[in-house]
Amino acid sequence: MITAAEHERENYLNASHGIKSWLLTKDHKRIALLYLHTITFFFFLGGIFATLIRLELLTPKGDLVSADTYAKLFTLHGVIMIFFFLIPSIPATLGNFFLPMMIGAKDLAFPRINLLSWYLLVIGGCFAMYAMLAGGVDTGWTFYVPYSTNYSNTYVIATGLGIFIAGFSSILTGLNFIVTVHRMRAPGMTWFRLPLFVWSNYATALIQVLGTPVIAITLVLLIGERTLHIGIFDPARGGDPVLFQHLFWFYSHPAVYIMVLPAMGIISELVSVFSKKPVFGYKVVAFSSVAIAVLGFLVWGHHMFVSGQSVYAGLVFSFLSYFVAIPSAIKVFNWTATLHKGSISYATPMLYAFGFIGLFTVGGLTGLFVACLGVNVHVHDTYFVIAHFHYIMVGGTLMAYLGGLHYWWPKMSGRMYPEGWAKLSALVIYLGFNLTFFPQFILGYLGMPRRYWTYPDEFQVLHVMSTAGASVLAVGYLMPLIYFMWSLRYGPIAPANPWGATGLEWQTASPPPAHNFDETPIVTTEAYDYAALAAMEEAKVG
């Protein structure tokens, strides 16, 4: 039993006090909390826009907002959720906090650059907020030409600058992770003793460093075209709008894996610790993360099957889009094999892991439909695509993010949360999500285009179901916010290793000291070696 006095010993939370100590901190754990507060704000802001969208679609006629306002709502929802929540959600928060601890390091390789990356995200977010308050942007989050270069008189430049600046935050975070994993592993922490969460963040970092400059350059060209009136993408000025799509999706499809790869790493941790077994096929799962990162750069053309690219290019991209599903399927099969005959605990993080596997599997299977040339032509730019995308991004990334947050919350805060309420929230989110987005598959197959603010009367029942599900989902998302805040003051004091996990992050105090470890740990066992952990516990008791 941990006493209150032991809990109040010096840790990263109370090592120094005052706002200045937080705003100038170089501690990766404090920076992770700064990110956590920032992206939580953007998540609920984006959620407000989603709520207004669903309320508008409750009835067939556009009777809540105007068509222009609706276009701004879905644009700002996409921009904020993708660039300011989903992309930084796991790497910048849980990755920032735990990656150094999981490899036995005292911090990231470049602490000042780590802090700079947070400031860049905030500055980029301020530009996006300015664009929102000044009148919004109505091009859609993809900024397709010629909407973004010629037809739109909204704040495209300010929004583009915000994403451009936030992109450097992503690049610097990826660079920091790569150098840290290469240079700062503890003695004995070989590549094949790394936790799979580290492997997934390492693969993600490769995409961040290699892919993000492409979208940055594309946005600079777009801004230059609007301000200098030169022909790059706009056909009215002699430009090529399809070139914009190639450049945009060359980054934006790998960006899907920036969002979901770290989520897969979390699920590997959760499945292992709550079944008390090593991850089945550890090396295959590790290499599948790298394979996803590499193959993700080769499939951007499946977003452009109806853009006029050649049929032969379409066939190649279709094949590659099927091929990239293989390493994702490997992970799902290996997680299932890990659970087989395991000592499974149905704690809250494990419920989120089950939710991820179910929703991600639906999203992945429907992705095969989108990768098929014939089906894609039928469902392109319909609600089928919206449903598929949200099953991957929200059903996958967000479920894993919440699972990881519940798993590591005792380590981050030093407090436990109410398990009953947490399990209820996981169930509410899962049910609300399916009620929100599954009807959209049917809507899309029946021909309901996305981004329309009115629709035929026969689609109303499915839209009402979707809006009702969004209401349930909103309640589910608010519940963790409430009980996490409650736990900070009233939650039971957490032991150092409440889940009986094997990772190095659980071999230090809760909350951790400012420099993570009093002494540099020496790694002598494989990852997820629960037999060795049990032997150590028996030796301590003896």
Side-chain angles (χ1 to χ4, degrees):
M1 179 68 69
I2 295 182
T3 65
E6 290 174 324
H7 180 260
E8 292 301 323
R9 68 192 175 287
E10 182 174 307
N11 56 63
Y12 81 99
L13 291 171
N14 60 23
S16 54
H17 300 278
I19 295 177
K20 183 179 179 181
S21 70
W22 281 85
L23 295 179
L24 298 179
T25 185
K26 296 187 288 292
D27 185 346
H28 67 100
K29 300 180 292 296
R30 285 192 164 199
I31 294 171
L33 292 190
L34 293 175
Y35 270 116
L36 180 64
H37 286 88
T38 303
I39 69 165
T40 300
F41 167 78
F42 282 121
F43 172 72
F44 283 103
L45 180 62
I48 291 171
F49 293 132
T51 301
L52 293 173
I53 291 169
R54 290 311 324 164
L55 288 175
E56 170 56 55
L57 294 172
L58 197 57
T59 57
K61 305 301 180 186
D63 47 15
L64 179 64
V65 297
S66 66
D68 289 342
T69 302
Y70 184 78
K72 293 173 182 177
L73 287 175
F74 69 67
T75 299
L76 288 168
H77 169 68
V79 167
I80 289 171
M81 282 300 202
I82 290 171
F83 296 107
F84 297 100
F85 174 70
L86 285 170
I87 286 177
S89 60
I90 297 176
T93 56
L94 300 176
N96 222 327
F97 197 109
F98 290 104
L99 186 142
M101 297 179 67
M102 295 174 92
I103 65 173
K106 293 187 175 182
D107 209 316
L108 288 172
F110 306 115
R112 289 182 175 84
I113 290 179
N114 193 25
L115 179 62
L116 174 63
S117 67
W118 174 71
Y119 275 106
L120 289 173
L121 181 69
V122 172
I123 293 170
C126 288
F127 272 90
M129 292 281 290
Y130 162 75
M132 177 188 74
L133 296 173
V137 61
D138 60 0
T139 62
W141 74 271
T142 56
F143 301 99
Y144 268 13
V145 177
Y147 301 122
S148 54
T149 57
N150 194 18
Y151 296 146
S152 177
N153 294 317
T154 56
Y155 291 82
V156 175
I157 293 177
T159 310
L161 282 173
I163 297 170
F164 176 80
I165 295 169
F168 280 96
S169 170
S170 185
I171 293 170
L172 293 178
T173 299
L175 176 66
N176 227 338
F177 283 4
I178 291 171
V179 176
T180 301
V181 172
H182 274 274
R183 304 294 298 172
M184 299 183 68
R185 302 193 306 275
M189 179 62 78
T190 63
W191 280 95
F192 293 116
R193 287 178 175 172
L194 288 174
L196 289 168
F197 182 66
V198 176
W199 269 103
S200 64
N201 275 278
Y202 179 81
T204 302
L206 296 176
I207 303 174
Q208 290 173 298
V209 172
L210 297 175
T212 310
V214 177
I215 191 67
I217 294 169
T218 306
L219 291 172
V220 168
L221 292 174
L222 183 66
I223 292 169
E225 186 165 30
R226 281 184 70 92
T227 55
L228 302 176
H229 306 292
I230 54 178
I232 302 172
F233 304 125
D234 187 357
R237 300 189 179 107
D240 184 358
V242 178
L243 173 62
F244 176 85
Q245 293 189 35
H246 277 293
L247 292 173
F248 181 86
W249 288 115
F250 182 80
Y251 162 77
S252 294
H253 193 85
V256 170
Y257 301 114
I258 293 178
M259 306 175 215
V260 81
L261 262 175
M264 293 174 167
I266 290 175
I267 301 306
S268 294
E269 301 296 321
L270 300 183
V271 166
S272 176
V273 70
F274 291 105
S275 64
K276 289 295 181 287
K277 286 179 60 183
V279 175
F280 181 84
Y282 165 90
K283 289 185 179 181
V284 177
V285 176
F287 282 128
S288 69
S289 294
V290 180
I292 290 172
V294 173
L295 294 172
F297 281 103
L298 305 177
V299 299
W300 79 91
H302 74 231
H303 294 273
M304 302 168 59
F305 284 157
V306 299
S307 68
Q309 72 179 1
S310 75
V311 176
Y312 302 107
L315 288 171
V316 172
F317 282 122
S318 179
F319 170 77
L320 290 172
S321 298
Y322 281 113
F323 192 67
V324 76
I326 295 174
S328 297
I330 286 172
K331 290 181 181 293
V332 174
F333 287 132
N334 283 37
W335 294 328
T336 306
T338 304
L339 293 170
H340 181 60
K341 294 185 177 180
S343 179
I344 298 174
S345 167
Y346 294 97
T348 300
M350 190 59 169
L351 296 184
Y352 278 106
F354 284 133
F356 172 94
I357 294 172
L359 298 180
F360 179 78
T361 301
V362 173
L365 290 174
T366 53
L368 300 179
F369 289 84
V370 177
C372 175
L373 278 164
V375 178
N376 184 283
V377 171
H378 175 62
V379 301
H380 183 80
D381 262 349
T382 69
Y383 266 78
F384 189 96
V385 176
I386 290 182
H388 158 69
F389 182 81
H390 281 81
Y391 264 86
I392 295 290
M393 294 297 94
V394 184
T397 301
L398 197 50
M399 290 292 281
Y401 173 69
L402 289 171
L405 201 57
H406 283 81
Y407 175 55
W408 281 304
W409 183 260
K411 182 60 60 178
M412 298 169 71
S413 67
R415 299 276 184 174
M416 300 300 291
Y417 48 81
E419 184 72 10
W421 283 104
K423 288 182 176 180
L424 178 62
S425 74
L427 180 63
V428 169
I429 289 172
Y430 186 80
L431 295 176
F433 181 88
N434 280 289
L435 183 58
T436 303
F437 293 106
F438 195 84
Q440 295 180 13
F441 281 124
I442 304 172
L443 278 168
Y445 185 76
L446 293 176
M448 171 72 192
R450 63 179 178 177
R451 299 174 176 172
Y452 276 42
W453 71 312
T454 62
Y455 55 86
D457 293 344
E458 56 265 30
F459 291 156
Q460 185 175 10
V461 171
L462 292 168
H463 275 297
V464 169
M465 291 174 62
S466 190
T467 299
S471 303
V472 175
L473 196 57
V475 172
Y477 287 147
L478 282 170
M479 290 172 66
L481 179 67
I482 294 170
Y483 61 69
F484 277 148
M485 294 177 66
W486 176 90
S487 77
L488 290 175
R489 185 174 181 87
Y490 302 107
I493 295 172
N497 190 358
W499 313 119
T502 60
L504 290 180
E505 76 272 26
W506 298 106
Q507 297 179 27
T508 187
S510 298
H515 295 292
N516 297 343
F517 304 97
D518 296 327
E519 297 180 358
T520 301
I522 298 175
V523 180
T524 58
T525 60
E526 304 301 315
Y528 315 111
D529 191 345
Y530 286 96
L533 179 65
M536 290 172 58
E537 294 297 328
E538 288 182 10
K540 288 180 182 178
V541 174

